């Protein structure tokens, strides 16, 4: 239990400004506003932290996150007032501007 808490705190220290999270299918997705990234945390593999979306012009001050019934991520961006859809391969498509 102690190791899990320490690892969790270490993961949280990597975030610049986590603003929202979503919990589909046993995973945790954390939106980091200042790093322009979305991180995926997998509790079943020892709390593995991985970058789901690389910082790009498509992730511009991301804030809100959600998922469609088909598993695509919807990401609301404060920086450019858009909503983008990200498929399971990490491909971005702007769906609302």
């Amino acid at each position: 239990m102690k190791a899990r808490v320490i690892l969790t705190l270490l993961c949280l220290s990597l975030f610049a400004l986590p603003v929202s999270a979503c919990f589909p299918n046993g995973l945790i997705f954390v939106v980091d506003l200042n790093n322009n990234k979305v991180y995926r945390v997998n509790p079943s593999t020892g709390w593995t932290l991985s970058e789901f979306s690389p910082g790009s012009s498509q992730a511009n001050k991301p804030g809100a996150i959600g998922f469609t019934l088909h598993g695509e991520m919807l990401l609301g961006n404060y920086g450019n007032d858009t909503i983008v859809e990200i498929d399971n391969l990490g491909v971005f498509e702007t769906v609302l501007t």
Side-chain angles (χ1 to χ4, degrees):
M1 179 68 173
K2 230 182 215 185
R4 201 172 267 186
V5 170
I6 291 169
L7 184 57
T8 302
L9 292 174
L10 174 64
C11 290
L12 291 175
S13 70
L14 298 173
F15 303 137
L17 183 60
V19 293
S20 62
C22 197
F23 309 93
N25 302 320
L27 299 172
I28 304 167
F29 287 85
V30 179
V31 177
D32 191 343
L33 181 78
N34 284 350
N35 280 334
N36 291 326
K37 295 180 181 176
V38 176
Y39 295 97
R40 179 178 54 206
V41 182
N42 190 341
S44 67
T45 60
W47 293 89
T48 306
L49 176 72
S50 59
E51 195 175 301
F52 182 77
S53 65
S56 71
S57 61
Q58 296 290 332
N60 189 339
K61 300 291 183 193
I65 187 171
F67 285 83
T68 68
L69 294 176
H70 300 289
E72 288 88 9
M73 179 189 298
L74 296 173
L75 189 62
N77 291 303
Y78 293 120
N80 58 7
D81 295 325
T82 61
I83 297 176
V84 295
E85 183 179 78
I86 308 165
D87 68 16
N88 294 328
L89 300 174
V91 176
F92 289 83
E93 179 184 351
T94 300
V95 293
L96 187 63
T97 57

